[in-house]
Amino acid sequence: MSDQINSRRRFLRIAAVGIGAMEMSLSGLVRAQSNQSAQGAIAANGATSNASFGQIKQINAGTLNVGYADVGPENGPVVILLHGWPYDIHSFVEVAPILAAAGYRVIVPYLRGYGSTRFLSGKTMRNGQQAVVAVDIIALMDALKIQKAVFGAFDWGARTANIIAALWPERCAGQVSVSGYLIGSPQANKAPLPPKAEFAWWYQFYFATERGRLGYEANRHDFSKLIWQLASPKWSFDDATYDRSAEAFNNPDHVAVVIHNYRWRLGLVKGESQYDALEKRLAAAPVITVPTITMEGDANGAPHPDPAAYAKKFTGKYQHRTIDGGIGHNLPQEAPKAFADAVIDVARM
């Protein structure tokens, strides 16, 4: 009888151990599946994307040595993607592969003052006026022997694409422009805006001061992160995603170019005289005749015009698309498929 009891006890102990191990195994499996699901969700909205462009190429173009990503078939129709402030080429890190898969050659340059783009001469003015950034891109196209391209852009990049489309339409096959028509002038910017709109431009007034220049120089990482948060209030980007782009702000000319850009807009500093004729044409707010799709996120926290205010500036084939789902100012990175689809669609218009 005692042997039977002991045997039964041993069996129960073994069974208990086995059940415990099974529970631990199942628990681990559930956690693993949960983590995989969470990672999939994060990857879907791009919040922790570790995607990279890989090798960045360099080429002398105009007054710059430009750093740029070159993705897709070398002989494909060209798309040029242009970032703004305070962003960099990684705004398009998920857009470019979609376009490359569709057969496009995708060029994504660092603008002057960002990333690996450098001035060829220390004597060149660190100019940020609107015309010179467009001239930079025309020079890049010439250096790469690209006669014509479709442009996809936002922020400073959208203004640059607008200028190229307006002044050099023979170089622009079409454009996707986030926030629409952004060509302006210091003269037009003298007109005061309603208080709410002026408040949205707080950083422009900060940059107009020496305190602002010093503050941005000392705190460019945290300052730019704040702009990201304000401009895209519903975008849950993580530190790794932001830091990947923030590396581009360590460019030695970044602060000088940014400060000059915003001071020039307010007429507080002059540009370079060789661009006066271009700026005069831009001050007349020229219409854009090339095929255009304008886009806006439904949660854009950055200053931006209402689509109805600029629709008539596009006199060629034209569409506007508002992207829902809490999409902010950095639309290409927050909604890469919608942006890539628009680029493909405008190329076919």
Side-chain angles (χ1 to χ4, degrees):
M1 184 71 174
S2 61
D3 289 341
Q4 290 177 343
I5 293 173
N6 289 335
S7 296
R8 184 177 297 173
R9 286 175 177 169
R10 284 196 298 273
F11 172 81
L12 291 174
R13 282 199 300 270
I14 294 171
V17 171
I19 291 171
M22 183 183 299
E23 288 175 345
M24 291 177 64
S25 177
L26 288 172
S27 176
L29 179 60
V30 168
R31 284 197 301 270
Q33 290 174 336
S34 177
N35 289 339
Q36 289 171 359
S37 296
Q39 290 167 359
I42 290 171
N45 66 22
T48 61
S49 170
N50 292 317
S52 170
F53 281 110
Q55 181 186 8
I56 299 300
K57 299 181 178 181
Q58 300 289 143
I59 191 168
N60 288 348
T63 61
L64 303 173
N65 177 262
V66 179
Y68 66 100
D70 191 343
V71 181
E74 187 176 345
N75 61 349
V78 179
V79 171
I80 297 176
L81 303 176
L82 302 174
H83 69 83
W85 174 85
Y87 304 93
D88 83 325
I89 63 174
H90 290 95
S91 289
F92 304 103
V93 74
E94 294 181 48
V95 173
I98 299 173
L99 297 176
Y104 293 94
R105 180 187 181 191
V106 185
I107 305 294
V108 195
Y110 284 109
L111 299 187
R112 57 170 51 202
Y114 295 82
S116 61
T117 292
R118 296 288 188 274
F119 287 87
L120 293 173
S121 171
K123 297 179 180 179
T124 302
M125 178 181 175
R126 273 40 179 175
N127 183 357
Q129 72 183 102
Q130 62 179 354
V132 74
V133 184
V135 169
D136 289 344
I137 303 304
I138 293 294
L140 175 63
M141 295 175 71
D142 290 343
L144 293 174
K145 296 180 171 53
I146 296 170
Q147 180 57 38
K148 201 167 190 176
V150 172
F151 289 85
F154 74 109
D155 199 87
W156 288 22
R159 180 175 295 107
T160 301
N162 290 171
I163 292 169
I164 293 171
L167 300 187
W168 297 281
E170 72 279 3
R171 308 301 295 271
C172 180
Q175 64 168 340
V176 173
S177 177
V178 175
S179 297
Y181 188 92
L182 298 177
I183 297 172
S185 71
Q187 185 63 35
N189 288 338
K190 287 182 179 180
L193 300 172
K196 188 175 180 179
E198 296 282 23
F199 177 74
W201 284 108
W202 65 271
Y203 54 87
Q204 183 170 243
F205 302 112
Y206 180 64
F207 288 162
T209 68
E210 181 62 9
R211 177 188 177 96
R213 185 189 70 79
L214 293 172
Y216 189 55
E217 177 74 63
N219 303 297
R220 72 184 81 175
H221 181 279
D222 291 346
F223 191 102
S224 297
K225 188 173 186 178
L226 174 62
I227 297 297
W228 276 40
Q229 292 165 340
L230 295 175
S232 298
K234 296 186 178 181
W235 182 32
S236 299
F237 62 87
D238 64 6
D239 288 343
T241 298
Y242 172 73
D243 290 342
R244 180 182 58 184
S245 288
E247 285 292 326
F249 314 148
N250 292 326
N251 182 294
D253 302 304
H254 177 74
V255 173
V257 170
V258 170
I259 296 300
H260 185 268
N261 175 281
Y262 286 103
R263 290 181 179 182
W264 177 86
R265 293 190 199 189
L266 292 178
L268 301 177
V269 296
K270 293 183 177 180
E272 294 178 89
S273 59
Q274 63 261 44
Y275 305 116
D276 286 352
L278 294 178
E279 292 295 353
K280 185 176 181 179
R281 293 173 64 189
L282 295 173
V287 297
I288 292 174
T289 60
V290 306
T292 298
I293 295 176
T294 57
M295 303 186 77
E296 194 60 80
D298 65 338
N300 186 358
H304 62 280
D306 186 275
Y310 54 70
K312 292 182 179 179
K313 301 305 294 183
F314 301 99
T315 59
K317 296 179 180 178
Y318 174 70
Q319 295 179 15
H320 176 77
R321 300 178 182 181
T322 296
I323 309 303
D324 297 327
I327 303 303
H329 188 60
N330 189 2
L331 193 152
Q333 195 164 358
E334 298 176 60
K337 187 177 185 305
F339 188 86
D341 287 346
V343 171
I344 294 169
D345 290 345
V346 83
R348 298 170 177 170
M349 284 173 67

